Amino acid sequence: MVATGVAVEAVVNGLLLGGIYALAALGLSLVFGIMDVVNLAHGHMLMVGAYLAIVLLAATGITPLVGMFLAMGVLFVFGVALQRVLLERVVGEGIEQPIIVLFGLALVLQNVARILLSGDARTADIGIPRGWFDLGFLSFERTVTFVVAVVLVALTWAFLQYTRTGQAIRATAQNPDAARHMGIDTDRIYALTLGVGTALAGAAGALLAMLFPITPFVGWSYLLKTFAVVVLGGVGSVPGTLVGGLVIGVAENLGDLYLGYRNVVSLLIFLVVLLVRPQGLLGTGGEE
Amino acid sequence: MSLLERHPEGSLLADRRLQAAAVVAVLALAAVPLATTEALTGLVLTGLVFVMLGVSWNLLAGYAGQISLGHAAFFGMGAFVAAWLTTPSGAGFPESLQLPVLVAVLVGGLASALVALVLGGIIFRLRGHYFAIGTLALAAVIELVMLDQRSLTGGSTGYYIDSDLGLPGVPVSHGDVVFYLTLAATVATVGVTYSIVRGPGGLAMQAVHDDEDAASSLGVNPLKYKVYAFVVSSFFAGLAGALYGHYTLYINPESTLAVTWTIDTLVVVILGGMGTFVGPLLGAALFVLLDKGLPVALRTVADLFALEGGTSALVDSLSTTVEGVLIILFIIFVPQGLYGLANDYLVTDLTRGGPGEPGTPTEGGPGSDPTAGPEATADGDASVPPREE
């Protein structure tokens, strides 16, 4: 039997990790909820964000906590461009084309990363002094990244809830036609949504780079993990995504501890929830 | 019969000359091991495996409209089940279990089909995007579990298959025999899929693809036809995996079950033309050329500029990048693929020539309805997403 202390530590670490999973999944959830497109390249965009932070740190010594903003900016522009240049041509024409475009994009991102950065695992140091911080068994990196992730999730929620643009996004999600009649430029909203979604992936990637080694091949695994969170939390629900992230983070750590399987646990949770309750534990079925 | 006559792809396939071309192609392929080198035989065999993968995935995705991203899992399972049966000792099974290669390979396909049958009832509760990502997750679970079962699959060291089908006394190697088995399996894949697609089952699948609810209200049971397509598709994928494993004589959960096989299958089908029958055949040929030709071309370029290393990993990544770009461009700008391009070109040409043009290779033959040509084109369009809506 595993000692209680170790189990408690696994749960706490799982919660801390789950905050980042929630952030990573939020972008996927928004895009799915609002545009009805599963961004199959989401994990790969996360990988790109992670590498941007890693490369910036290596080149200039700037901490990934700042590099995160670079990753968000670059991926925001990338997301908007992706929507304007490619996806706008195929969205609303059945599901095959968006799925395949994004699948192809994932392939391209993975291989371009491999060409530019080789297949070796890389990781980033947090790059800020930790002397003033001591919380017993809590890891410094995990705690800081958790706080940053949860703040970003809260900001995104507030943005959607309280700004005019956020309201326009939610209106578009509920009924694109009605939104258009109200004078909302839905094409612009879609581009903005994909931009925000991919920027959130970039932020999560920069945070994860401080905790785990990153290779060009991590995209698929993070895609499935974040999708598990989305399914668990319910599509398009910000609080649901946060809860889903925490659950998956804890489940993974406990699965690792007791069963020796880490990735299989989140995949199995994902499949079971998908089959038993496809609208998610807290979800509304993508209405909002 | 009239329904079948007007089937979208009646135009080119029913042409006698095309049937003759198919026979010639099979005969030409049969001559490959006799007339060419071992390496070229292997290359053509790989192409045949991709024909099997492409045609089978196209039945599920192109006709029934279910975008599965888990095709690799069925390919890999077929390979492993067949390997366990020809080389039981590798997985710690008793030697008495050993079966001849031909039987083992068929059982490999059947095992994949059985898994698809069992999973089909569950996984088809997911629709659209959920189905796509559900199959991706399923394939990932299968890969991880198989990788973890070291005693059964050899883990990351892989599994060596002990088999020698070479005929003593005659210059026919093991690879040649597997080549002929693969050729026969490919013909079977194409033949069976063709008869399904041309028959009422194929029409039902397309109905489910175009509008599941409408199909259901007209008495077509969507679940039944989706599972039908899934099981047949998985059988041939498993068969392809089993044969490929017995050609290379070495399989590995990390490569045989890897998502790469799904990606390659997608490239084959999308380049050739999704939801068209001939598409995957063209796509497989083009893909083999790309997959083998691009690295050679890239390596030559790398050598020319004396680029450092020119490593195979780099060249690999570059050619995969090109493939990724190609499927994005094709699915957006040429959703019917090469077949669509060829068909469009031929059909417009002939229509321009007038309905009485002799030698019109459309189903109705010379003098038939002059709209037959354009109609076929429109139907070909509809087999990718319904654009008219």
Side-chain angles (χ1 to χ4, degrees), chain A residues 11 14-15 57 61 67 120 130 144 167 207 211-212 252:
Chain A
V11 170
L15 285 173
L57 176 76
D120 303 335
R130 67 193 71 191
V144 172
Q167 284 176 344
L207 295 177
L211 303 180
F212 299 107
E252 258 190 28

Coordinates of all heavy atoms in Angstrom, one line a residue, chain A residues 11 14-15 57 61 67 120 130 144 167 207 211-212 252:
Chain A
V11 N -2.1 13.9 -4.8 CA -3.3 14.7 -5.1 C -3.0 16.1 -5.2 O -3.5 16.8 -6.2 CB -4.3 14.4 -3.9 CG1 -5.5 15.4 -4.1 CG2 -4.8 13.0 -3.9
G14 N -1.3 16.8 -8.4 CA -2.3 16.7 -9.4 C -3.2 17.9 -9.6 O -3.4 18.3 -10.7
L15 N -3.6 18.5 -8.5 CA -4.4 19.7 -8.5 C -3.6 20.8 -9.2 O -4.1 21.5 -10.1 CB -4.8 20.1 -7.1 CG -5.9 19.3 -6.5 CD1 -6.1 19.7 -5.0 CD2 -7.2 19.4 -7.3
L57 N 14.2 31.7 -23.6 CA 15.0 31.6 -22.4 C 16.4 31.3 -22.8 O 17.4 31.9 -22.2 CB 14.4 30.5 -21.5 CG 15.2 30.2 -20.2 CD1 15.0 31.3 -19.2 CD2 14.9 28.9 -19.6
G61 N 17.7 34.5 -21.8 CA 17.6 34.4 -20.4 C 16.3 34.9 -19.8 O 16.2 35.0 -18.6
G67 N 8.1 34.9 -21.3 CA 8.1 34.2 -22.6 C 6.7 33.8 -23.0 O 6.3 33.7 -24.1
D120 N 15.1 16.0 -29.9 CA 15.5 15.9 -28.5 C 14.6 16.6 -27.5 O 14.0 17.7 -27.9 CB 16.9 16.4 -28.3 CG 17.9 15.7 -29.2 OD1 17.6 14.6 -29.6 OD2 19.0 16.3 -29.5
R130 N 14.0 31.7 -6.1 CA 12.9 31.0 -5.3 C 13.2 31.1 -3.8 O 12.5 30.5 -3.0 CB 12.8 29.6 -5.7 CG 14.0 28.7 -5.4 CD 13.9 27.4 -6.2 NE 14.1 27.6 -7.6 CZ 13.9 26.6 -8.5 NH1 13.4 25.5 -8.2 NH2 14.2 26.9 -9.8
V144 N 3.8 28.1 -8.8 CA 3.8 29.4 -9.6 C 3.0 29.2 -10.9 O 2.1 30.0 -11.2 CB 5.2 29.9 -9.9 CG1 5.2 31.0 -10.8 CG2 5.9 30.2 -8.6
Q167 N -19.4 39.3 -25.0 CA -20.8 39.1 -25.2 C -21.1 38.7 -26.6 O -21.9 37.8 -26.9 CB -21.6 40.3 -24.8 CG -21.7 40.5 -23.3 CD -22.3 41.8 -22.9 OE1 -22.5 42.7 -23.7 NE2 -22.8 41.9 -21.6
L207 N 4.0 27.4 -19.8 CA 4.0 26.9 -18.4 C 4.4 25.5 -18.3 O 5.2 25.1 -17.4 CB 2.6 27.1 -17.8 CG 2.0 28.5 -17.7 CD1 0.6 28.6 -17.2 CD2 3.0 29.4 -16.8
L211 N 7.8 22.5 -16.4 CA 7.6 21.3 -15.6 C 8.0 20.0 -16.2 O 8.5 19.1 -15.6 CB 6.1 21.2 -15.2 CG 5.4 22.3 -14.5 CD1 3.9 22.1 -14.3 CD2 6.1 22.6 -13.2
F212 N 7.8 19.9 -17.5 CA 8.0 18.6 -18.2 C 8.9 18.8 -19.4 O 8.9 19.9 -20.1 CB 6.7 18.0 -18.7 CG 5.8 17.6 -17.5 CD1 4.7 18.4 -17.3 CD2 6.1 16.6 -16.7 CE1 3.8 18.1 -16.3 CE2 5.2 16.3 -15.6 CZ 4.1 17.1 -15.4
E252 N -4.6 11.5 -13.1 CA -3.4 11.0 -13.7 C -2.3 10.7 -12.7 O -1.7 9.6 -12.7 CB -2.8 12.2 -14.6 CG -3.1 12.0 -16.0 CD -2.3 13.0 -16.8 OE1 -1.2 13.5 -16.3 OE2 -2.7 13.3 -17.9

